[in-house]
Amino acid sequence: MELLCIRQWISGLLPTWLSAWCIKPVGGALVRQEPEYILLALMGSPLKKIMLCSSEKEIFSVEEQVMVQHSVIINNMIEDGSYNHEESKIPLDCVDSKTLKKVIDYCTHHTHHHNDNQEDLEAWDAQFLNVDSNGLYDLLMAANYLEIRNLLDLIYGTIKNMIKGKKIDEIRRIFNIKDHGFTPEEEEQNRKEYPHFY
Amino acid sequence: MLPFELIIEILTRLPLTTLLRFRSVCKSWNSLITDPSFALNHLHATSTRRLIFTRPADPYFTDYSLSSAFASTSAAATRLFPSAVPGSHFHHSIVGSCNGLLCLFTVSRNLLLWNPSTGKFRNLPSLEDQRFSVVTSGFGYDHVTHSYKVVVVLYIKNHEFDSRVHTLGSDSWRRIQHFPLSSTACCPGRFVSGMLNWLDKNRFIVSLDLALESYRRISLPDFGGNNTDEFELTLEVFKNSLCVLSCCSHFTDVWIMKDYGIAESWTKLLCVPDLIYYPEFLGFDFNVPRATRAICISDEDDEILLELWLDMEQKFVVYNFSDDSFRPAGIEKFGGRVASEVCENY
């Protein structure tokens, strides 16, 4: 039978409550999960896992569902078939093991606790981001690389609150700006004109 | 050290006062924050849209936030009084809006720029030549010189129309080439991607490049051989592209020009179906309401706000084109002709 016929046949077999369940969020958009995959999952085959490889060559096994829901990059790799489940692992050369573990943690928690109430999720997020600024930057770069929209928004929000009220000297320290690029005269002029900024 | 593109993302989300302070952090941040294109992106990232209605008799504007206009329950409108604006007890008509600024045309033939968010306004130099009447006008932003420009078209004599341009910051009006219009009936100019556009009856779109200050004609979409004189056409701007709405007695089509200036890129964005299939909207004697105008498309890109007339009564409805349904909008009827403008709000 043609693949299309198989799909239609399987969709016909699914009761409506199950079709409703076959919706997964992908990077903010809703996409219908392939019905034959659901049927296979129901038949008892283990949930598909994928392998992610950190820059330190450590391999992390994670449910495909979880990563595909959050990371646009990983979702695209799986959808366009460039990832072969049997053999390959996804190399993430710009993400170290510690950060990758945290990212996987975030995605897993948000998938499994998707229906929790808003306050609990926010509390978990706040605890999750309770890291030092280096850790925060590593998370930001990883989320940017993997294109995980909700983690990015969360991190940008945290950074915004962190720096909004700070003085210029503190900002320079936070962003590791060693050379501000102003001439000594310009810097002195600024400090004289806006002493409360510093 | 964070890559600069992520720094830009962070800075784009900061409030304006913080940004102004952070110009002193370092030279590269200073150049970024004072760069006009960054400033525009920042404004757009932190703005929401508002819908402003004006009626010929009212000395005020009726203002709705876009989200409440699309909500089903009747929304609370605020009245905007361009107060502290001279002659504000008379009606002002809106020439156009751009980046949160409104250009207004007062009863005494004065033009002014007004920022509804801050209340600040600025009078433009007066138009001399009282003997010529103003046929149409437009307001936009020139990306090349980073300046706001107002255009006014005057009727000189039979088939001759003169145009004057004022650049904000200068102190006079300049004449530019004749406005290639074939009749006096003309709506206000619509600004999109550096060009001001007017409908010339049902034949052409006249487009003014604000940077080059020269006109050209763009053809309208191919309506499929129908007699275009039977349609009522209006120009709108949706999602940064120019759109033409064609309303005839039983349908409303929205055409969008995907690539500006290229007539072949006119695509039919959507067709608002005949309301005869929606009994809850039919009137007395089963009169079918006629959509006269599309006002704007929602932020989520799936709904369009329409003005309908039925049994001489005005209604505002929302048509959802992803699930093909109509519902009433959260806007109270005005009971008469009303002009609308979508304005960014900071």
Side-chain angles (χ1 to χ4, degrees):
Chain A
M1 268 208 276
E2 281 269 79
L3 188 60
L4 194 57
C5 300
I6 297 175
R7 283 174 156 210
Q8 284 170 343
W9 174 70
I10 292 179
S11 316
L13 287 183
L14 291 179
T16 33
W17 63 264
L18 191 55
S19 325
W21 185 56
C22 300
I23 298 186
K24 63 175 185 193
V26 172
L30 287 176
V31 165
R32 212 168 279 276
Q33 181 92 356
E34 309 307 343
E36 63 269 26
Y37 182 73
I38 295 288
L39 203 59
L40 286 173
L42 283 180
M43 286 177 188
S45 67
L47 278 172
K48 276 196 184 156
K49 297 235 171 169
I50 54 174
M51 311 289 197
L52 302 179
C53 184
S54 76
S55 59
E56 292 147 326
K57 304 296 176 224
E58 202 181 321
I59 302 200
F60 293 84
S61 169
V62 61
E63 283 169 36
E64 176 182 308
Q65 268 264 60
V66 162
M67 286 323 290
V68 147
Q69 269 178 28
H70 287 94
S71 163
V72 174
I73 295 289
I74 293 187
N75 179 58
N76 290 348
M77 275 190 212
I78 308 260
E79 289 220 328
D80 72 17
S82 56
Y83 178 74
N84 180 330
H85 285 95
E86 309 310 317
E87 308 169 354
S88 46
K89 48 194 191 314
I90 300 182
L92 299 172
D93 291 330
C94 27
V95 187
D96 66 22
S97 296
K98 180 169 142 215
T99 312
L100 187 52
K101 184 167 189 315
K102 278 216 72 126
V103 168
I104 292 175
D105 219 9
Y106 176 87
C107 298
T108 314
H109 179 91
H110 274 261
T111 300
H112 293 162
H113 293 251
H114 173 60
N115 290 319
D116 277 9
N117 71 47
Q118 200 56 28
E119 282 147 17
D120 290 341
L121 283 176
E122 282 176 7
W124 190 92
D125 284 345
Q127 179 60 23
F128 174 79
L129 283 186
N130 194 7
V131 291
D132 64 12
S133 47
N134 282 328
L136 196 60
Y137 290 151
D138 290 336
L139 271 176
L140 178 57
M141 307 269 252
N144 184 51
Y145 177 69
L146 291 169
E147 287 184 48
I148 304 176
R149 191 74 255 161
N150 44 359
L151 181 55
L152 271 176
D153 287 341
L154 179 68
I155 298 177
Y156 283 134
T158 304
I159 295 181
K160 175 179 110 167
N161 291 330
M162 210 166 82
I163 65 177
K164 233 171 24 173
K166 297 273 193 303
K167 306 239 185 256
I168 304 286
D169 294 322
E170 287 179 82
I171 300 287
R172 286 174 180 166
R173 220 180 16 245
I174 294 174
F175 285 91
N176 207 14
I177 298 173
K178 299 245 161 51
D179 173 20
H180 52 67
F182 292 120
T183 66
E185 294 79 33
E186 285 171 335
E187 176 73 358
E188 200 188 309
Q189 174 71 13
N190 280 339
R191 282 188 188 259
K192 241 199 261 180
E193 221 174 307
Y194 312 108
H196 46 285
F197 284 0
Y198 296 84
Chain B
M1 225 2 303
L2 270 187
F4 205 59
E5 56 176 34
L6 297 189
I7 304 254
I8 295 179
E9 286 290 324
I10 294 174
L11 293 181
T12 307
R13 286 161 164 79
L14 292 175
L16 196 58
T17 42
T18 312
L19 268 188
L20 294 175
R21 226 170 3 108
F22 284 4
R23 281 179 307 181
S24 315
V25 168
C26 66
K27 204 87 178 191
S28 52
W29 284 29
N30 189 26
S31 332
L32 176 69
I33 293 171
T34 49
D35 179 67
S37 28
F38 170 82
L40 268 183
N41 278 338
H42 176 262
L43 288 180
H44 290 139
T46 52
S47 75
T48 52
R49 293 195 296 162
R50 299 195 77 82
L51 200 47
I52 300 184
F53 290 97
T54 57
R55 268 192 307 184
D58 296 335
Y60 54 80
F61 301 148
T62 310
D63 160 68
Y64 287 92
S65 76
L66 210 65
S67 44
S68 60
F70 278 89
S72 304
T73 50
S74 204
T78 47
R79 283 194 181 168
L80 292 179
F81 288 85
S83 59
V85 169
S88 63
H89 42 286
F90 295 114
H91 170 68
H92 295 51
S93 57
I94 299 182
V95 168
S97 84
C98 191
N99 298 338
L101 290 178
L102 282 177
C103 181
L104 306 177
F105 193 59
T106 69
V107 135
S108 40
R109 230 176 108 104
N110 281 327
L111 283 147
L112 54 98
L113 283 187
W114 181 52
N115 186 337
S117 319
T118 60
K120 294 209 171 105
F121 71 94
R122 185 195 206 137
N123 279 311
L124 299 187
S126 68
L127 277 170
E128 293 96 23
D129 284 333
Q130 294 285 334
R131 23 180 197 141
F132 300 128
S133 55
V134 174
V135 166
T136 186
S137 48
F139 172 54
Y141 180 73
D142 175 3
H143 300 273
V144 172
T145 57
H146 300 297
S147 54
Y148 290 96
K149 289 186 176 170
V150 181
V151 176
V152 149
V153 177
L154 305 171
Y155 177 62
I156 307 294
K157 54 180 196 274
N158 242 346
H159 299 301
E160 207 182 301
F161 299 90
D162 219 19
S163 24
R164 307 279 162 91
V165 172
H166 171 76
T167 307
L168 194 66
S170 71
D171 53 10
S172 61
W173 292 85
R174 285 172 289 119
R175 281 184 74 180
I176 58 174
Q177 63 174 114
H178 285 308
F179 191 70
L181 190 64
S182 56
S183 76
T184 51
C186 202
C187 52
R190 297 295 182 191
F191 176 69
V192 69
S193 42
M195 317 277 180
L196 270 174
N197 303 276
W198 291 266
L199 256 185
D200 181 357
K201 251 198 192 161
N202 283 6
R203 298 202 188 105
F204 293 105
I205 292 175
V206 173
S207 156
L208 170 66
D209 184 326
L210 276 184
L212 300 174
E213 293 183 356
S214 63
Y215 290 102
R216 66 178 170 126
R217 281 187 166 148
I218 301 180
S219 12
L220 289 169
D222 180 3
F223 294 111
N226 293 314
N227 186 356
T228 53
D229 282 342
E230 285 172 3
F231 294 164
E232 212 176 287
L233 297 181
T234 27
L235 269 188
E236 294 289 342
V237 175
F238 292 146
K239 300 289 141 194
N240 266 328
S241 301
L242 196 59
C243 287
V244 160
L245 257 90
S246 67
C247 283
C248 76
S249 53
H250 37 268
F251 62 85
T252 303
D253 279 346
V254 178
W255 294 79
I256 188 167
M257 181 160 49
K258 290 203 154 152
D259 300 313
Y260 187 84
I262 301 175
E264 289 75 27
S265 72
W266 281 112
T267 343
K268 196 187 283 202
L269 183 63
L270 60 103
C271 181
V272 179
D274 198 346
L275 279 147
I276 199 166
Y277 300 112
Y278 298 84
E280 65 270 27
F281 287 97
L282 293 185
F284 192 63
D285 272 349
F286 300 108
N287 282 334
V288 182
R290 200 164 88 74
T292 47
R293 219 151 48 96
I295 298 175
C296 63
I297 291 188
S298 70
D299 287 327
E300 293 83 44
D301 271 0
D302 59 357
E303 296 186 320
I304 186 168
L305 183 62
L306 300 165
E307 179 195 33
L308 296 181
W309 284 90
L310 175 65
D311 295 337
M312 308 230 274
E313 237 195 37
Q314 183 191 49
K315 272 199 221 300
F316 290 95
V317 295
V318 173
Y319 173 64
N320 185 316
F321 40 92
S322 56
D323 66 25
D324 197 26
S325 63
F326 285 92
R327 58 183 172 79
I331 300 179
E332 305 255 314
K333 63 173 190 261
F334 292 92
R337 292 196 55 200
V338 66
S340 67
E341 188 72 33
V342 177
C343 176
E344 312 235 338
N345 176 49
Y346 306 115

